[in-house]
Amino acid sequence: MISWPTIYHVLEETVPLYVAMIVAYLSIQWWKLFTPEQCSGINKFVAKFSIPLLSFQILSTNNPYDMNLKLIFSDILQKSISLLGFAVISKACCVEKFDWLITGFSLSTLPNTLIVGIPLLKGMYGNEAVKLLSQIVALQSLIWYTLLLFLFEFRAARGMDTTTSSETASKNIPTAFLKIDI
């Protein structure tokens, strides 16, 4: 059974996150404190500065020689089974097979452990769980994000993307420049 002090520690770690999200929602939707341009700027700041710096802080404290081997193997097994499962499902059911494979894999295996997971596990299990979760973040950053980037580039190189770079380049270049005199 979950004890009251455990519930208190979980709430102590998660309530500030949810209060900040609720205040942000209210300030945009109800109070109209921010314009869409300002929201876009805040999103860019978070995406280009906050998340990379938080990721760097987590990755810099992770010792790759002290990682839990069972955790590494279970993470690789879980994500490999998920990738294989989505490959079979997207091959059998979906029209745009490769797009659904990439989307399903990224949504099911790469959770937001950095922002929500670390405070939640810290409240539930203490600093030992944070150490394990930082190892999972390191594996995500080094292996799984790289695999996703490879899949995106593979899709673009095979012409599976809806618009290729040559199509967009030819749309933006005047036809006079496309003629080559020999």
Side-chain angles (χ1 to χ4, degrees):
M1 172 142 173
I2 298 174
S3 65
W4 286 109
T6 304
I7 293 172
Y8 173 76
H9 289 303
V10 169
L11 291 176
E12 180 183 37
E13 294 291 333
T14 57
V15 166
L17 293 171
Y18 288 105
V19 167
M21 288 190 288
I22 290 168
V23 168
Y25 175 79
L26 292 175
S27 66
I28 293 169
Q29 293 296 323
W30 286 4
W31 302 326
K32 308 288 186 203
L33 295 178
F34 297 105
T35 65
E37 292 84 21
Q38 291 169 332
C39 292
S40 176
I42 292 170
N43 285 338
K44 285 182 183 178
F45 175 78
V46 169
K48 295 186 184 225
F49 291 105
S50 297
I51 299 293
L53 288 174
L54 183 60
S55 299
F56 178 77
Q57 189 265 335
I58 294 294
L59 291 174
S60 66
T61 59
N62 186 33
N63 183 3
Y65 300 110
D66 191 30
M67 289 182 74
N68 189 338
L69 289 178
K70 287 182 182 179
L71 177 75
I72 293 171
F73 291 134
S74 65
D75 187 57
I76 290 173
L77 179 66
Q78 181 263 329
K79 292 195 170 80
S80 300
I81 290 172
S82 174
L83 185 64
L84 181 66
F86 276 107
V88 168
I89 291 170
S90 65
K91 182 111 173 134
C93 302
C94 304
V95 175
E96 296 174 351
K97 296 171 178 47
F98 210 69
D99 291 341
W100 281 104
L101 168 71
I102 294 171
T103 303
F105 178 71
S106 64
L107 287 176
S108 68
T109 61
L110 303 175
N112 191 357
T113 55
L114 196 61
I115 305 297
V116 177
I118 289 177
L120 186 64
L121 260 86
K122 185 177 181 184
M124 290 172 62
Y125 302 112
N127 287 330
E128 186 63 34
V130 173
K131 183 179 174 185
L132 290 175
L133 198 58
S134 67
Q135 292 175 13
I136 291 174
V137 169
L139 289 172
Q140 284 179 351
S141 299
L142 299 175
I143 297 172
W144 305 115
Y145 289 155
T146 307
L147 177 65
L148 274 175
L149 286 174
F150 174 77
L151 291 174
F152 282 125
E153 291 297 324
F154 183 75
R155 181 186 69 176
R158 296 273 319 256
M160 295 177 188
D161 205 2
T162 55
T163 59
T164 61
S165 59
S166 62
E167 289 175 12
T168 52
S170 65
K171 289 178 186 175
N172 294 333
I173 299 173
T175 57
F177 294 115
L178 294 178
K179 294 181 183 178
I180 300 174
D181 295 329
I182 298 178

